[in-house]
Amino acid sequence: MRLGVSSFTFPWAVGGIDLDRPISMGASELLDKAKSLGAEVLQIGDNLPLDKLSVDALDQLKVDADAFGISLEVGTRGISSANIKTYLEIAVRLGSPILRVVIDTKDHEPDLDEIIQLLLPFSKNFKSLGIKLAIENHDRLKCSEFNEIVDRLGHDWVGICLDTVNSLGAAEAPNTVIPELAQRTINIHMKDFEIIRSNGQMGFTVQGTALGEGRLNMADVFAAVGGVDREISAIIELWTPRQESYEATVALEELWAQRSVRNLRSAITTA
């Protein structure tokens, strides 16, 4: 199991969450952060879209990552044919073994039949290139639907990018999601959380924590997906809560990233 960080380890620093804070971190700066943290893998997701980079910039990113001994993984959002084609080409250029994808966009939430219709024509492309499509569980579809998608498309080129917390949005908790999706998992998003009472004790608030400091049992995740000896990436993602200022939020995000890497490395070693 390889320890990785992501553009979603640093979503506030990357930018684009608030209108007055557009995307401001480049891929090369993110790679430097991965190096400083001692990560083995850097996954660049849809909050830092790689299709905005020139071919020369992508090639330089690969050269730099190779020099640092860091493997690159490519992610995107949306399953239009044009987008999948574009990002598959980027995955090839960067040597990514997977293309991680979130199905839904703001303008497109396809049903299962449309998902299959859009993705199935790429089967031969992925197989011939030796790249796997890693579909991330997000907050609209249930685990049973994600499993059906993989079964209908084919296990030989499609798997699950298992996010430990996302499916709370579909009213499915980690102790349901992890065993349900583990057998089809080819990439993991390690995300931790806590659940606290809201003001007035009326209801609950779910919010992120540094990895290893919330309710997620990392050992259970490792065991479910086949153990730490399996060739798979464990990618840290953070839901850092907004602080009193943007600068304070970014500072907390950085601190959590450091603690999360330390805690994940310790958990992998212990397992």
Side-chain angles (χ1 to χ4, degrees):
M1 181 172 288
R2 298 182 301 164
L3 186 154
V5 296
S6 162
S7 51
F8 283 104
T9 312
F10 306 97
W12 290 102
V14 168
I17 299 175
D18 293 332
L19 292 177
D20 60 342
R21 297 284 180 177
I23 294 174
S24 58
M25 180 186 290
S28 59
E29 184 180 352
L30 182 62
L31 180 61
D32 287 339
K33 281 186 172 291
K35 179 189 177 187
S36 69
L37 290 168
E40 299 170 88
V41 180
L42 171 61
Q43 187 174 106
I44 304 178
D46 47 279
N47 60 332
L48 188 56
L50 288 168
D51 64 314
K52 305 301 182 185
L53 297 183
S54 67
V55 168
D56 288 345
L58 289 170
D59 288 344
Q60 188 60 54
L61 181 65
K62 179 66 164 63
V63 168
D64 293 341
D66 287 346
F68 295 159
I70 295 175
S71 300
L72 296 173
E73 294 180 348
V74 172
T76 188
R77 176 184 290 265
I79 60 170
S80 71
S81 297
N83 192 56
I84 295 298
K85 181 177 182 295
T86 294
Y87 272 87
L88 186 54
E89 292 171 355
I90 292 173
V92 171
R93 185 170 289 275
L94 295 183
S96 177
I98 65 166
L99 174 55
R100 160 271 185 198
V101 65
V102 173
I103 291 171
D104 290 349
T105 68
K106 291 181 180 179
D107 303 319
H108 188 213
E109 295 184 351
D111 62 20
L112 264 61
D113 286 340
E114 186 181 1
I115 292 168
I116 303 305
Q117 180 183 13
L118 286 169
L119 293 176
L120 192 56
F122 287 97
S123 171
K124 291 182 179 180
N125 304 73
F126 276 85
K127 291 178 185 178
S128 66
L129 293 168
I131 295 174
K132 290 199 171 183
L133 181 67
I135 299 176
E136 182 172 348
N137 57 301
H138 221 252
D139 51 9
R140 178 173 66 94
L141 302 178
K142 299 285 189 179
C143 287
S144 59
E145 294 172 296
F146 284 109
N147 281 330
E148 181 180 342
I149 291 167
V150 176
D151 289 343
R152 289 174 65 182
L153 288 172
H155 299 244
D156 52 346
W157 69 283
V158 183
I160 293 294
C161 172
L162 172 60
D163 188 290
T164 55
V165 187
N166 275 351
S167 291
L168 283 173
E172 293 186 325
N175 61 350
T176 296
V177 173
I178 293 165
E180 281 286 322
L181 297 180
Q183 289 188 349
R184 294 169 175 83
T185 294
I186 58 175
N187 193 253
I188 315 171
H189 284 175
M190 300 293 292
K191 187 182 292 171
D192 211 340
F193 68 104
E194 61 182 350
I195 301 174
I196 58 176
R197 282 282 186 179
S198 299
N199 289 339
Q201 303 299 301
M202 303 295 286
F204 296 93
T205 296
V206 178
Q207 65 183 33
T209 69
L211 182 61
E213 299 178 14
R215 292 177 179 254
L216 183 70
N217 187 317
M218 287 191 279
D220 286 350
V221 179
F222 300 156
V225 300
V228 296
D229 291 333
R230 185 179 167 199
E231 184 66 24
I232 193 171
S233 299
I235 307 296
I236 295 167
E237 292 195 342
L238 295 176
W239 277 350
T240 309
R242 191 189 302 266
Q243 302 298 295
E244 66 275 6
S245 68
Y246 175 77
E247 290 74 19
T249 305
V250 170
L252 180 60
E253 182 176 75
E254 179 71 31
L255 179 62
W256 279 13
Q258 295 171 15
R259 287 175 10 202
S260 295
V261 168
R262 183 174 64 247
N263 292 341
L264 178 56
R265 182 171 287 121
S266 175
I268 291 173
T269 301
T270 300

